[in-house]
């Protein structure tokens, strides 16, 4: 919590290197949940030319003492403020500094710094949490070699961990035990971690390609030791993949993961000691869905891959966050593509980008992947920095090719090992490997907003070619480079031409011969989203239909079908008539005969959600859209009852295993059930009820719950209570149970109000808050309810969370970013509610920054 004085804005132009650095530190922790004493011994060195004051960051610390070269500093040699400790005249160009302070981990509900979760104390330091533990130069360009002594009562802290290697473990003396950890690799403060508590240790191993044995350990709270198998397998796969793909071998003898119940985000890549949100580690077939299993593999990969992209080569400053995050997301996407099905993975990633990143990029929180300024860095762990950042790296890899990309990455990692750098070092290493500059690639780091690509066409009678002009109207002043993978088809869907253009700047022309019959060819542009753009195409309905059926690229075929569905909604809305679903039905009908890969087929059959439809059409009459959607689902269901029943039966018996075949079966059977439940005659509810009762895997058990709630079945209450009875002791499964009850349907405010008084709910646990409040706020029918009741409810909860966990409160406030587009009085109501938040006497800088920006759009 900050005082009410305005918070400083950090701007990229103001960056300057550290005047002082601390290349070596010895930390000492005397652990106690109520009052922990921390001491830091630094080697301080002048890094600039002329010595000046030394500033150490420190927030919410109780200062105890300061020594300079061993001598207690006199109070007029330094000053302690809300933001840190200033030493007016350091005693030389290199000296020893010892500083001591106290903190209260069990009062720390922000989950940043040192805090208590369940039976453990643990840390979260990225981006600026270290200053809440100890006075320090808490910036990523200050690299330190760490030695860490942890002292604590072994009855409460039988396990005490930090980064690197355990170098000594003392015997308990008078109820205290001491351990010493040493990390041989220099690292910035944000990668420091400490964990202590009553944890169960599970062990596995990996032999690297050069034959070194690495010990792998996962630490969990008691009772969860049976849920680590999949995480170990994922970790070993990730280690092997990074060796096989990039030649990168793990660099310590020990790699540890800790599963933490109270965690602000997904996971954290601290050197040799990754901390994970428990929901992204723990899984068994009874309690985890197929989606959870896949996320676990992806996030374990992601954090592991940071060991090189992020840790060995780190950031010069936080503006460059995407340098490690965009790159590492790209690496984890590639990993999952290799481990599962590349087309399906690409479809999922594009769907995610369109549903979350495109709206962010058009709204009041839009920013380039390299933000120019921030007040609270925590607010910039965004889908733009992560997912759009990954798309930019993908684009670069498409330009240079994956083999050159691998060379470029190796060059980058070798040249800058142990340093903090910027995106420029990365891009120029790629250019060097490519052997040529890449004009306008840097533009992607500076321009915000999704480029809106326009395609126009003209016939050239002399050459018998159609000339397509691809332009980026906003790119005149801010040119970008694009990769445009395309294919041309005739009216029967035969391929006429396939190409990949690299477009440097805001216009390009593609020439394609007219078809044999003398027609204009049908073009599929930016296949598999070869650049993160939106395309305003002028394809006719008939042309889209041909692509939806015939495009050989499975990803583009999928999106063509989605576009056909969106275009139906557009017509149905505007003509207000009974617009025929016939093309869509035809595609359904022919797809049943095709024998497609099961998982792919399940996506292909998937009907876009309410928010995907409204986002695509920029139409925000959710009640009307929902009505149309239900009508369409009803018609599809009635038209193919036999087919869906057949599909259901064919995939009914599944084995609870994480194989491609079984995952595909579960998905197909669920999608068939989804359509059957939308039959207006409601004949299939018992099928859902018995699926829940007989389920052997969470993917089978959860769908009936979600679907019966969505269709507002009379069985709803029964499935909700049966699910609860079975899972009441498993916190992670209950998260899904809370979420399912508010994620669909109208007027769920009262459901939120009753569920938040449930014994298993607490605002202090971010997973619970995400399950209930975030799920509600992502349900447009409820959140954007026309009375404004949804806004009021969420605004109230944001105010409560501000005092508990500012980062989570600000995250929830971001969901107001879409309110300026809403109908009627909603923007006005949103503004009033946000102003109420802004007037909080103790508003955090996290929340202040978000709310301030959104209010400006209203
Ligand atoms: N660096 C983490 C990642 O892998 C994300 C992160 C940033 C984080 N801040 C956090 C994780 C706070 C947990 C809590 O993307
Ligand atoms: Zn990351």
């Amino acid at each position: 919590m900050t005082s009410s004085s305005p918070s400083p804005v950090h701007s990229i132009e103001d960056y300057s290197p550290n005047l002082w650095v601390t290349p070596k530190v010895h930390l000492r922790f005397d652990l106690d949940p109520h009052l922990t004493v921390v001491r830091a011994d630094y080697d301080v060195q002048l890094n600039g030319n002329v010595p000046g004051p030394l500033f150490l960051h420190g927030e919410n610390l109780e200062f105890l003492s300061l020594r300079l070269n061993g001598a207690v500093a006199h109070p007029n040699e330094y000053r302690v403020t809300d933001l840190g400790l200033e030493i007016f005249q350091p005693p030389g160009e290199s000296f020893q500094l010892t500083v001591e302070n106290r903190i209260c981990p069990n009062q720390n509900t922000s989950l940043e710094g040192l805090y208590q979760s369940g039976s453990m104390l643990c840390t979260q330091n990225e981006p600026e949490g270290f200053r809440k533990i100890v006075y320090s130069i808490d910036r990523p360009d200050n690299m330190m070699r760490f030695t860490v002594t942890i002292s604590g009562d072994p009855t409460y802290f039988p396990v005490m961990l930090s980064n690197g290697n355990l170098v000594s473990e003392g015997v308990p003396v008078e109820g205290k035990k001491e351990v010493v950890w040493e990390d041989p690799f220099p690292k910035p403060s944000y990668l420091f971690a400490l964990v202590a508590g009553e944890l169960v240790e599970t062990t596995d191993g990996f032999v690297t390609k050069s034959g070194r044995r690495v010990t792998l350990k996962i630490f969990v709270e008691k009772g969860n030791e049976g849920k680590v198998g999949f995480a170990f397998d994922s970790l070993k796969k990730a280690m092997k993949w990074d060796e096989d793909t990039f030649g990168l071998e793990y660099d310590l003898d020990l790699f540890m993961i800790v599963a933490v119940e109270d965690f602000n985000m997904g996971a954290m890549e601290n050197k040799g000691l990754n901390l994970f949100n428990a929901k992204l580690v723990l899984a068994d077939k009874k309690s985890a869905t197929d989606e959870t299993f896949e996320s676990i593999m992806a996030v374990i990969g992601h954090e592991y891959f940071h060991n090189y992209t992020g840790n060995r080569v780190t950031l010069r400053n936080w503006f460059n966050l995407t340098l490690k995050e965009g790159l590492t997301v790209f690496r984890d996407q590639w990993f999952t593509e290799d481990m599962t099905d590349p087309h399906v993975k690409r479809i999922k990633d594009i769907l995610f980008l369109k549903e979350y990143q495109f709206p962010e990029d058009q709204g009041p929180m839009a920013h380039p992947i390299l933000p120019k300024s921030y007040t609270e860095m925590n607010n910039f762990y965004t889908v733009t920095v992560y997912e759009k950042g990954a798309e930019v790296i993908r684009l670069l890899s498409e330009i240079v090719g994956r083999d050159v990309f691998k060379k470029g990455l190796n060059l980058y990692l070798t040249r800058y090992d142990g340093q903090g750098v910027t995106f420029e070092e990365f891009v120029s290493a790629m250019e060097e490997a490519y052997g040529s500059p890449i004009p306008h690639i840097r533009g992607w780091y500076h321009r915000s907003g999704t480029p809106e690509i326009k395609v126009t066409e003209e016939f050239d009678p002399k050459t018998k070619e159609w000339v397509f002009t691809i332009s980026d109207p906003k790119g005149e002043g801010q040119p970008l480079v694009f990769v445009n993978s395309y294919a041309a088809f005739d009216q029967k869907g035969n391929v006429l031409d396939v190409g990949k253009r690299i477009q440097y700047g805001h216009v390009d022309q593609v020439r394609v011969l007219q078809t044999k019959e003398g027609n204009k060819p049908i073009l599929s542009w930016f296949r598999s989203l070869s650049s993160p753009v939106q395309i305003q195409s002028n394809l006719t309905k008939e042309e889209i239909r041909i692509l939806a059926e015939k495009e050989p690229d499975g990803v583009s075929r999928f999106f063509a079908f989605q576009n056909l569905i969106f275009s139906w909604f557009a017509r149905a809305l505007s003509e207000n008539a009974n617009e025929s679903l016939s093309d869509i039905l035809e595609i359904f009908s022919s797809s049943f005969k095709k024998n497609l890969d099961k998982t792919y087929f399940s996506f292909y059959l998937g009907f876009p959600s309410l928010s995907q439809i409204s986002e695509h059409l920029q139409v925000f009459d959710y009640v009307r859209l929902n009505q149309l959607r239900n009508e369409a689902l009803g018609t599809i269901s009635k038209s193919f009852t036999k087919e869906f029943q057949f599909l259901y039966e064919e995939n009914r018996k599944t084995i609870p295993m994480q194989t491609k075949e079984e995952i595909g079966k579960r998905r197909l059977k669920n999608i068939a059930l989804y359509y059957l439940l939308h039959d207006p005659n409601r004949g299939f509810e018992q099928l859902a009820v018995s699926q829940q009762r007989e389920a052997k895997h969470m993917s089978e058990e959860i769908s009936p719950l979600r679907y019966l709630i969505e269709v507002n079945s009379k069985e709803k209450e029964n499935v909700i209570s049966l699910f609860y009875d079975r899972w009441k002791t498993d916190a992670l499964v209950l998260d899904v149970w809370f979420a399912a009850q508010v994620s669909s349907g109208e007027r769920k405010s009262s459901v939120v109000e009753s569920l938040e008084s449930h014994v298993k709910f607490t605002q202090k646990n971010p997973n619970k808050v995400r399950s209930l409040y975030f799920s509600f706020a992502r349900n447009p029918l409820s959140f954007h309810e026309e009375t404004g009741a949804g806004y009021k409810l969420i605004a109230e909860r944001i105010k409560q969370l501000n005092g508990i966990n500012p980062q989570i409160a600000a995250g929830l406030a971001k969901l107001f970013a879409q309110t300026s587009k809403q109908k009627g009085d909603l923007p006005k109501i949103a503004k009033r509610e946000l102003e109420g938040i802004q007037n909080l006497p103790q508003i955090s800088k996290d929340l202040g920054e978000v709310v301030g920006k959104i209010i400006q759009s209203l």
Side-chain angles (χ1 to χ4, degrees), residues 124 126 263 265 267 269 302-303 306 324-325 381 386:
Q124 172 55 42
E126 184 181 5
F263 208 68
M265 309 237 276
E269 71 264 24
H302 179 96
E303 306 311 328
H306 269 315
K324 74 177 176 81
E325 295 305 345
Y381 287 76
Y386 276 65

Side-chain angles (χ1 to χ4, degrees), residues 144 223 420 423 530 635-636:
M144 299 176 258
F423 80 96
S530 50
T635 307
I636 296 168

Side-chain angles (χ1 to χ4, degrees), residues 28-31 149-161 166 168-181 196-197:
R28 187 192 160 87
F29 288 85
D30 283 289
L31 290 181
T149 301
I150 313 171
S151 164
D153 181 341
T155 46
Y156 297 111
F157 305 113
V159 172
M160 297 192 278
L161 313 171
L166 180 65
S168 84
E169 179 161 19
V171 288
V173 184
E174 293 170 18
K176 291 277 160 152
K177 187 178 126 176
E178 262 186 41
V179 299
V180 181
W181 289 82

